[in-house]
């Protein structure tokens, strides 16, 4: 640009009085060009760098100082509490949204005694619920023994000791036994953020699904929890596969007395899976070249602390954990009618939310094939010692025959003994209390879907 200025004057019809201006411009521009070429030559040893003392170096230093000041800024700490009983993908999505509201997510876990006082008996105890919350990949810190109601005293405790900036909860009502809002104090201060409730699942919904299949067997009956759902004659299956050929009238429980039917709302699933939801839950990670890829398959129905423990143990064996999730019809064929309780999409989201899982394979076959193992370049196939009872399983078929032949199969001791049958057994033994709890909770559920539901942008 500077070189063009003198030539414009020299080859134009300008009057001679402009020649001095042209000479001055040339005398300034030519040294500048020469200086610039020297600087460019000096930069050849600095790949996309900035030489100290130059103008570009000055602005680069300002940008670096600005970036450093942002890094030094105190992170925005977000607090969200809950019971997190029978942890499901709805809980996980709420925690994901809460984490998106700031930089650090602190989760308050309400103890058993508080849950029983306000809602009724929890299905899982403190230790089991704590393990589930810590396993969610969006959780940074956990506070235990938090009250159900955010009182002014506890609110100040959060602000002063834990440096909480905002408190988050879903748009569904959270009421105390007297009908007042549990977050009234926080809302008055203007430090409350509402996130969108994840529709389609809740602890009330899951307990309702199980209660639909729980029978009151005769006193002399000795049915195992793992067979409980198999012997239900009047239940609607929650899987998409075909039911067994045995007529319901011939099942052992056909003559058993039936409990009062649960509220109609528990019979309806509002779950609407979308591709966006799976993208939100996916880690997006891929195994590096030469990485040790660990594979673990299962149903992962009613995702619980036993699942978390074995996933953590499997992840420690390699660099990348790939989890295979069996389809609904395969689980029903091996476990019986009305298994699984949750659909393939629901179970997959729960597994994806676990911090120890890198990727999942939806619809993994019951019997692992050589093609599957080679497709995903699997290094180790893992199976735990504790597994769900599969009464319809073909004992002659070994689902891990191929990896055993390839020398990549490893049996690990399950760190936790909980299974899905454990949860079913607890509900069966205390079904009257859970029926009462669900009946009370369904009032607010129906009110939300009928009157209070409105569109809220998801984080």
């Amino acid at each position: 640009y500077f070189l063009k200025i003198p030539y414009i004057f020299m080859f134009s019809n300008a009057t001679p009085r402009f020649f001095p201006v042209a000479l001055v411009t040339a005398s300034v521009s030519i040294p500048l060009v020469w200086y610039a070429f020297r600087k460019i030559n000096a930069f050849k040893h600095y790949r996309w760098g900035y030489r100290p003392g130059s103008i570009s170096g000055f602005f680069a230093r300002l940008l670096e100082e600005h970036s450093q000041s942002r890094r030094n800024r105190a992170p925005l700490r977000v607090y969200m509490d809950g019971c997190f009983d029978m942890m499901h993908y709805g809980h996980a999505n709420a925690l994901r949204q809460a984490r998106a509201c700031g930089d650090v997510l602190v989760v308050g876990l309400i103890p058993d005694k508080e849950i029983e006082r306000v809602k009724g008996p929890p299905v899982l105890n403190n230790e089991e619920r704590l393990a589930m919350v810590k396993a969610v990949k969006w959780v940074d810190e956990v506070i235990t023994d938090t009250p159900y109601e955010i009182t002014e005293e506890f609110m100040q405790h959060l602000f002063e000791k834990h440096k909480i900036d905002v408190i988050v909860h879903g748009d569904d009502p959270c009421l105390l036994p007297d009908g007042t809002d549990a977050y009234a104090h926080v809302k008055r201060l203007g430090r409350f953020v509402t996130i969108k409730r994840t529709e389609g699942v809740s602890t009330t919904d899951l307990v309702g699904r199980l209660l639909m299949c729980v029978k009151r067997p005769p006193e002399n009956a000795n049915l195992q929890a793992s067979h409980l759902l198999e012997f239900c004659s009047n239940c609607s299956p929650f899987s998409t596969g075909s039911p067994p050929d045995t007529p319901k009238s011939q099942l052992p429980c056909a003559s058993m007395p039936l409990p009062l039917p649960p509220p109609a709302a528990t019979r309806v699933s509002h779950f609407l899976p979308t591709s966006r939801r799976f993208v939100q839950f996916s880690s997006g990670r891929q195994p590096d070249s030469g990485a040790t890829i660990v594979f673990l398959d299962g149903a992962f129905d009613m995702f619980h602390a036993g699942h978390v423990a074995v996933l953590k143990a499997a992840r420690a064996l390699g660099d990348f954990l790939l989890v295979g999730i069996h389809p609904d019809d395969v689980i029903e064929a091996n476990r019986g009618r009305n298994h699984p309780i949750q659909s393939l999409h629901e179970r997959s989201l729960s597994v994806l939310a676990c911090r120890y899982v890198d990727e999942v394979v939806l619809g993994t076959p019951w019997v692992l094939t050589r093609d599957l193992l080679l497709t995903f370049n699997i290094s180790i196939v893992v199976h735990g010692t504790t597994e769900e009872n599969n009464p319809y399983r073909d004992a002659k078929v070994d689902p891990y025959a191929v990896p055993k032949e390839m020398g990549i199969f490893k049996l690990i001791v399950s760190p936790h003994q909980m299974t899905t049958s454990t949860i079913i057994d607890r509900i069966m033994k205390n079904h009257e209390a859970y029926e009462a709890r669900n009946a009370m909770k369904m009032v607010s559920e129906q009110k939300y879907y009928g009157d209070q539901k409105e569109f809220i942008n998801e984080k």
Side-chain angles (χ1 to χ4, degrees), residues 82-93 95 107 109 123-142 144 203 206 300-312 342 347 349-356 416 418-419 423 426:
C83 303
F84 303 105
D85 193 20
M86 296 173 64
M87 191 88 174
H88 49 71
Y89 66 90
H91 290 134
N93 191 48
L95 294 172
V107 177
L109 186 64
V123 180
L124 305 180
N125 59 38
N126 282 327
E127 181 182 351
E128 294 162 347
R129 292 184 291 113
L130 178 61
M132 296 299 296
V133 173
K134 285 185 175 181
V136 178
K137 59 187 176 183
W138 297 290
V139 175
D140 299 299
E141 302 175 19
V142 180
T144 57
T203 300
L206 294 179
F300 298 98
D301 196 17
M302 304 295 292
F303 198 66
H304 51 70
H307 293 139
V308 170
V310 74
L311 289 171
K312 182 178 180 180
Q342 295 177 296
R347 293 179 284 117
L349 289 174
S350 295
V351 174
L352 280 172
C354 182
R355 65 173 69 249
Y356 308 114
H416 202 290
M418 173 174 275
T419 64
I423 299 175
R426 292 180 184 180

Side-chain angles (χ1 to χ4, degrees), residues 79-81 167-174 183 192-195:
Y79 176 81
M80 182 178 186
D81 61 4
I167 296 177
V168 174
H169 192 265
D171 61 324
D172 54 315
C174 186
Y183 295 91
F192 183 82
V193 176
T194 301
I195 59 175

Side-chain angles (χ1 to χ4, degrees), residues 359-385:
E359 182 62 286
V360 300
V361 180
L362 279 67
T364 302
W366 182 263
V367 179
L368 300 184
T369 63
R370 184 180 181 86
D371 178 69
L372 184 146
L373 300 178
L374 293 178
T375 297
F376 294 101
N377 194 28
I378 295 170
S379 309
I380 306 173
V381 175
V382 174
H383 188 64
T385 53

Side-chain angles (χ1 to χ4, degrees), residues 141-191:
E141 302 175 19
V142 180
I143 304 173
T144 57
D145 295 327
T146 60
Y148 189 85
E149 178 186 6
I150 306 262
T151 62
E152 292 188 15
E153 180 182 359
F154 182 69
M155 184 172 57
Q156 292 303 320
H157 173 75
L158 290 176
F159 295 157
E160 294 173 6
K161 182 177 180 180
H162 299 284
K163 308 300 181 184
I164 300 300
D165 297 297
V166 294
I167 296 177
V168 174
H169 192 265
D171 61 324
D172 54 315
C174 186
L175 304 178
L176 298 171
D178 60 0
T180 58
D181 189 354
Y183 295 91
H185 296 299
V186 185
K187 291 178 179 179
R188 281 197 295 267
L189 285 180
R191 299 177 72 170

Side-chain angles (χ1 to χ4, degrees), residues 159-393:
F159 295 157
E160 294 173 6
K161 182 177 180 180
H162 299 284
K163 308 300 181 184
I164 300 300
D165 297 297
V166 294
I167 296 177
V168 174
H169 192 265
D171 61 324
D172 54 315
C174 186
L175 304 178
L176 298 171
D178 60 0
T180 58
D181 189 354
Y183 295 91
H185 296 299
V186 185
K187 291 178 179 179
R188 281 197 295 267
L189 285 180
R191 299 177 72 170
F192 183 82
V193 176
T194 301
I195 59 175
K196 183 177 177 61
R197 168 192 170 121
T198 305
E199 298 180 15
V201 68
S202 65
T203 300
T204 304
D205 172 57
L206 294 179
V207 172
R209 297 187 196 185
L210 292 170
L211 287 173
M212 287 173 61
C213 296
V214 170
K215 302 294 182 180
R216 293 189 180 99
E219 294 182 358
N220 59 351
N222 187 24
L223 297 178
Q224 296 182 3
S226 59
H227 296 165
L228 182 63
L229 301 187
E230 170 196 351
F231 294 142
C232 298
S233 61
N234 72 329
C235 305
S236 300
F238 284 97
S239 61
T240 57
S242 302
D245 297 332
T246 306
K248 289 184 176 182
S249 59
Q250 299 179 12
L251 293 174
C253 70
S255 59
M256 293 182 184
L258 304 180
L260 293 175
T266 62
R267 301 174 184 267
V268 181
S269 175
H270 298 273
F271 177 58
L272 299 173
T274 62
S275 59
R276 180 172 179 264
R277 178 72 71 227
F278 279 91
V279 171
Q280 290 170 336
F281 275 53
S282 177
S283 65
R285 293 190 295 267
Q286 292 185 348
D288 297 329
S289 178
T292 300
I293 302 176
V294 182
F295 181 81
L296 174 68
D297 67 333
F300 298 98
D301 196 17
M302 304 295 292
F303 198 66
H304 51 70
H307 293 139
V308 170
V310 74
L311 289 171
K312 182 178 180 180
R315 182 62 175 82
L317 297 176
D319 308 309
F320 191 91
L321 179 57
L322 181 65
V323 178
I325 304 178
H326 298 148
D328 298 342
D329 58 337
V330 168
I331 299 172
E332 186 177 39
N334 286 274
R335 295 186 182 176
R337 193 185 305 271
N338 296 315
H339 283 279
I341 305 301
Q342 295 177 296
S343 68
L344 173 63
H345 292 138
E346 293 176 302
R347 293 179 284 117
S348 300
L349 289 174
S350 295
V351 174
L352 280 172
C354 182
R355 65 173 69 249
Y356 308 114
V357 177
D358 296 293
E359 182 62 286
V360 300
V361 180
L362 279 67
T364 302
W366 182 263
V367 179
L368 300 184
T369 63
R370 184 180 181 86
D371 178 69
L372 184 146
L373 300 178
L374 293 178
T375 297
F376 294 101
N377 194 28
I378 295 170
S379 309
I380 306 173
V381 175
V382 174
H383 188 64
T385 53
T386 299
E387 62 178 4
E388 193 68 41
N389 187 24
N390 298 289
Y392 290 101
R393 173 181 173 182

